[in-house]
Amino acid sequence: MTTPAEPARASHAVHEERARILKARKIEALLPQGALRDGGAVLDIGTGSGWIAHYFAHHPQLKLAVSAVDANDERAVKDGFSFSRLAGPALPFADASFDVVMSNHVIEHVGGDAEQLGHLREIRRVLRPGGVLYLAVPNRWSLVEPHYRLPLLSWLPAGLAKAYLQATGRGRWYDCKPLGPIESRRLFARAGFAWTDVAAQALVELLRLERPAAGVAARLAGMIRRHAPEVFGWLSPTLIFVLRAAAPRES
């Protein structure tokens, strides 16, 4: 959410078709078996160029009902899925509407702690029982911030980050709030989610999809996935999780 003192948030949408389709295929590979089913409902939050929603809407094996939302309409493709423009944090859908929700590099753009918690609680509301949330967010402690390509930008408090951006001519204020490994897990718990860290698996899938001939790299990624997935997840430049609504605690 913006205030009158803040400039409008910059667009960080990626429009390159191949990159978006590759991302969609990676997301599909990371979803638990059975999460996508014929006739299932999928929601793409922060759809940007629309290519990810388009991929699932035209899935080669499954007939899926795909919806997409974003604060702005920057779609390069529009066929096969419904689109709603968001005027606030609420999702314009009934409770328990979707089998799969994707929040791909979105949560860092919705605002501060309260807005991020609200984002997750809205997703939990629209997920069907047994539904799955795919969530990816930049690791706050990465050496290079991915939106502005500046070293250590996300490490800084808001005032210093703003001054850093202005001094480098990259922007007027830092309009992102990436999450660290600890704070992301705390946030998930507060929102009522159980989570699985799939960053190491994501590396394996990326190499399989993008560089199928890179045998040595694929074997190394496989070793990381088998023997040190949690360590890799904490160090990865992107934190990637599959989340499900947590079972209610017994009183």
Side-chain angles (χ1 to χ4, degrees):
M1 300 294 290
T2 60
T3 68
E6 295 173 346
R9 291 181 179 272
S11 171
H12 299 286
V14 178
H15 289 272
E16 203 276 303
E17 177 183 353
R18 182 182 178 277
R20 293 293 85 192
I21 296 300
L22 182 66
K23 174 71 73 173
R25 293 176 63 198
K26 187 180 80 170
I27 291 172
E28 180 182 10
L30 294 173
L31 293 173
Q33 187 173 8
L36 289 173
R37 57 179 179 80
D38 203 42
V42 176
L43 173 60
D44 182 22
I45 300 178
T47 194
S49 63
W51 282 114
I52 291 177
H54 182 270
Y55 170 83
F56 286 100
H58 296 273
H59 194 278
Q61 282 87 40
L62 301 173
K63 185 176 179 60
L64 301 169
V66 180
S67 301
V69 297
D70 209 324
N72 299 300
D73 188 355
E74 301 181 63
R75 290 173 294 161
V77 285
K78 301 183 178 182
D79 61 298
F81 60 94
S82 66
F83 175 80
S84 299
R85 188 168 177 174
L86 296 180
L91 295 172
F93 305 104
D95 295 357
S97 293
F98 296 99
D99 300 289
V100 173
V101 175
M102 298 174 289
S103 176
N104 180 52
H105 290 267
V106 172
I107 196 168
E108 69 269 24
H109 301 295
V110 303
D113 295 341
E115 289 81 10
Q116 291 183 339
L117 179 60
H119 175 72
L120 289 175
R121 285 177 172 167
E122 269 293 278
I123 291 172
R124 193 175 189 275
R125 180 183 67 78
V126 302
L127 270 178
R128 291 172 177 165
V132 172
L133 164 61
Y134 169 92
L135 186 143
V137 58
N139 188 342
R140 179 185 177 186
W141 306 112
S142 292
L143 294 178
V144 178
E145 201 279 344
H147 301 93
Y148 294 94
R149 307 290 182 184
L150 290 173
L152 308 182
L153 174 63
S154 54
W155 293 38
L156 301 174
L160 288 177
K162 177 180 179 180
Y164 187 11
L165 276 176
Q166 291 178 349
T168 57
R170 300 288 181 88
R172 294 175 57 192
W173 69 298
Y174 187 38
D175 58 352
C176 306
K177 188 181 183 296
L179 297 172
I182 294 175
E183 62 188 318
S184 60
R185 288 159 170 81
R186 287 176 177 168
L187 186 63
F188 300 155
R190 289 181 65 198
F193 280 104
W195 63 89
T196 302
D197 185 330
V198 295
Q201 183 182 347
L203 175 61
V204 174
E205 295 299 335
L206 181 63
L207 289 170
R208 180 181 67 84
L209 293 168
E210 192 169 43
R211 298 183 178 88
V216 174
R219 286 194 294 273
L220 177 60
M223 290 176 61
I224 292 172
R225 178 184 174 185
R226 288 192 300 274
H227 301 296
E230 283 294 324
V231 173
F232 179 82
W234 283 57
L235 299 176
S236 172
T238 301
L239 307 178
I240 307 175
F241 301 93
V242 170
L243 299 95
R244 295 181 186 270
R249 294 183 180 179
E250 295 183 2
S251 57

